[in-house]
Amino acid sequence: MAGVIPIAYRNSSTSPDWLNKGDNAWQMTSATLVGLQSMPGLVILYGSIVKKKWAINSAFMALYAFAAVWICWVIWAYNMSFGDRLLPFWGKARPALGQSFLVAQSELTATAVWYNNSSLEAEMLHPFYPAATMVYFQCMFATITVIILAGSLLGRMNIKAWMAFVPLWITFSYTICAFSLWGGGFLFQWGVIDYSGGYVIHLSSGIAGLTAAYWVGPRSASDRERFPPNNILLVLAGAGLLWLGWTGFNGGDPYSANIDSSMAVLNTHICASTSLLMWTLLDVFFFGKPSVIGAVQGMITGLVCITPGAGLVQGWAAIVMGILSGSIPWYTMMVLHKKWSLMQRIDDTLGVFHTHAVAGFLGGATTGLFAEPVLCNLFLSIPDSRGAFYGGDGASQFGKQIAGALFVIAWNIVITSIICVLVSLVLPLRISDEQLLIGDDAVHGEEAYAIWAEIELNDITHHDESRHSGIAVGVTQNV
């Protein structure tokens, strides 16, 4: 009977020597948890946190991006992010589709680190599972990055322009940051720490989202004034998928089911909980009541802040980072935003700049302070890395973190602007004023809640501005 059993189902002695089935199982589970954050997590959250008339359009922007990034990823973008070096900040484009590549042991070919005398300091990364698993895992990070970016553009971007924007941005922005910081590029070689995407994912999407929002232009005046969520309970459902999915987001980045992944998962939930409570307390103290949307924002900033150092800091540091992530982005969103004329002119629909860019920068900087030497040695290729709090060369690590953030910020401002200008030469970036008035029915010929169609139409055609106080409510009440 043994002769007719496929090789894949025989006992471990017939498996390749390099295959660790536990690592492989955990990595695919982590990838799926990250995927659930986007589909259905952010699809549900976006479709619920916007005004009723934009529910379909917002959810579809996320759904389309999830599918489009997959195809870009396997045809060219994976190897631009994790393949052979082309430039110090970019890998060579080639498909990740062939059997011989996908079933072989995964390797990040540019990640070997060399001393100045050309001797080897750290070997190339060789996770103990096939390349197919690595392609899957990293694709889920690419998809969620561009979906986070979409949060800045909800309620007015031309869906056809978005369809063109997604593959261009993944190709010329995401792959640059991913290779530079994770794939063996110059920031990786220099020792800049980004454990799980505080810079590659959150800082880049927050800065790119704000930049794209500038070029696309604002929502209609009535939408900016009054933009209430259409279903807060579903917002919580999407947020719940986002929070629990972060277990795979940070827990999978050691590329192994090891003790560092356990530390990363624990710190993730400690920081997120602390940040949520801090944001809620500030809402109560300054506005007199807790906000569910505010609590979700605090949860997100905590998850984002811990991401650059999830497996590298101690539990007490995760609490400190949570206090900072629940207060500093709160201040930039609720106070500074209102006083900064530039931010007032740019319509960042969901405040992605504050929840992701500010929190991501904060997380990267505090990692440069609190990265613990023993934990660093469990994860990082550069030996003896540490944060400034632990002395030694820690001060230089903090400086590296700031410099790495500045590169990500500058690149995303420039390349996102170029992409928006190029797309605008072919397609209008913003929906027409007539479509902005109607919403989903005009753009897609569909409505999220058809039972309300007649009432919504009546509300549009007989809109009385005097009924509103002029104070915006809902997710953008303080943005």
Side-chain angles (χ1 to χ4, degrees), residues 124-453:
M124 180 197 311
L125 296 176
H126 286 90
F128 299 117
Y129 42 75
T133 299
M134 181 62 80
V135 172
Y136 175 35
F137 179 73
Q138 294 296 349
C139 182
M140 294 301 95
F141 283 86
T143 59
I144 198 170
T145 305
V146 74
I147 292 172
I148 290 169
L149 189 163
S152 296
L153 307 172
L154 302 181
R156 85 283 198 172
M157 187 171 187
N158 179 2
I159 190 64
K160 295 176 183 177
W162 174 246
M163 293 170 73
F165 177 91
V166 169
L168 290 171
W169 192 84
I170 282 294
T171 302
F172 295 104
S173 179
Y174 184 84
T175 60
I176 297 292
C177 294
F179 185 81
S180 297
L181 281 153
W182 288 343
F186 76 105
L187 294 176
F188 178 96
Q189 299 286 332
W190 193 32
V192 177
I193 300 172
D194 187 7
Y195 187 91
S196 193
Y199 287 174
V200 176
I201 296 172
H202 301 293
L203 182 59
S204 66
S205 62
I207 295 298
L210 187 73
T211 304
Y214 168 82
W215 289 103
V216 172
R219 289 165 289 170
S220 65
S222 60
D223 279 356
R224 292 197 75 180
E225 175 194 339
R226 187 171 183 272
F227 205 71
N230 68 81
N231 195 321
I232 289 182
L233 293 180
L234 279 180
V235 169
L236 288 175
L241 287 166
L242 197 65
W243 188 346
L244 269 297
W246 228 281
T247 298
F249 197 104
N250 287 343
D253 263 295
Y255 299 152
S256 175
N258 58 25
I259 58 175
D260 197 48
S261 63
S262 300
M263 194 72 183
V265 170
L266 189 64
N267 282 335
T268 296
H269 297 293
I270 290 172
C271 187
S273 299
T274 304
S275 183
L276 185 153
L277 296 175
M278 188 68 192
W279 193 294
T280 300
L281 289 173
L282 289 171
D283 276 351
V284 170
F285 185 79
F286 286 95
F287 303 122
K289 62 183 70 173
S291 164
V292 171
I293 298 299
V296 170
Q297 290 168 328
M299 174 203 83
I300 291 172
T301 57
L303 292 167
V304 171
C305 184
I306 194 62
T307 291
L312 307 177
V313 302
Q314 298 188 66
W316 64 263
I319 292 177
V320 173
M321 292 169 76
I323 292 171
L324 294 174
S325 65
S327 55
I328 293 177
W330 181 94
Y331 174 78
T332 64
M333 178 179 285
M334 305 301 188
V335 180
L336 185 61
H337 189 104
K338 297 178 180 179
K339 298 180 179 180
W340 192 358
S341 59
L342 175 63
M343 296 299 293
Q344 287 289 306
R345 290 197 299 270
I346 301 175
D347 184 14
D348 179 0
T349 308
L350 300 186
V352 174
F353 171 77
H354 304 284
T355 56
H356 292 270
V358 174
F361 180 88
L362 180 63
T366 50
T367 296
L369 296 176
F370 300 132
E372 200 276 333
V374 174
L375 294 172
C376 286
N377 286 333
L378 294 176
F379 175 77
L380 298 175
S381 296
I382 308 296
D384 300 322
S385 297
R386 65 188 63 220
F389 184 83
Y390 295 94
D393 293 331
S396 66
Q397 185 63 56
F398 180 75
K400 291 177 182 179
Q401 295 302 108
I402 301 301
L406 292 177
F407 169 78
V408 172
I409 291 169
W411 184 265
N412 276 280
I413 291 173
V414 172
I415 203 66
T416 304
S417 295
I418 292 173
I419 291 171
C420 286
V421 170
L422 290 176
V423 172
S424 70
L425 297 176
V426 181
L427 296 163
L429 293 176
R430 190 169 178 264
I431 294 172
S432 69
D433 290 339
E434 180 181 356
Q435 290 178 319
L436 285 174
L437 182 67
I438 298 170
D440 287 339
D441 194 31
V443 178
H444 299 281
E446 299 167 312
E447 294 178 275
Y449 306 106
I451 191 173
W452 293 100

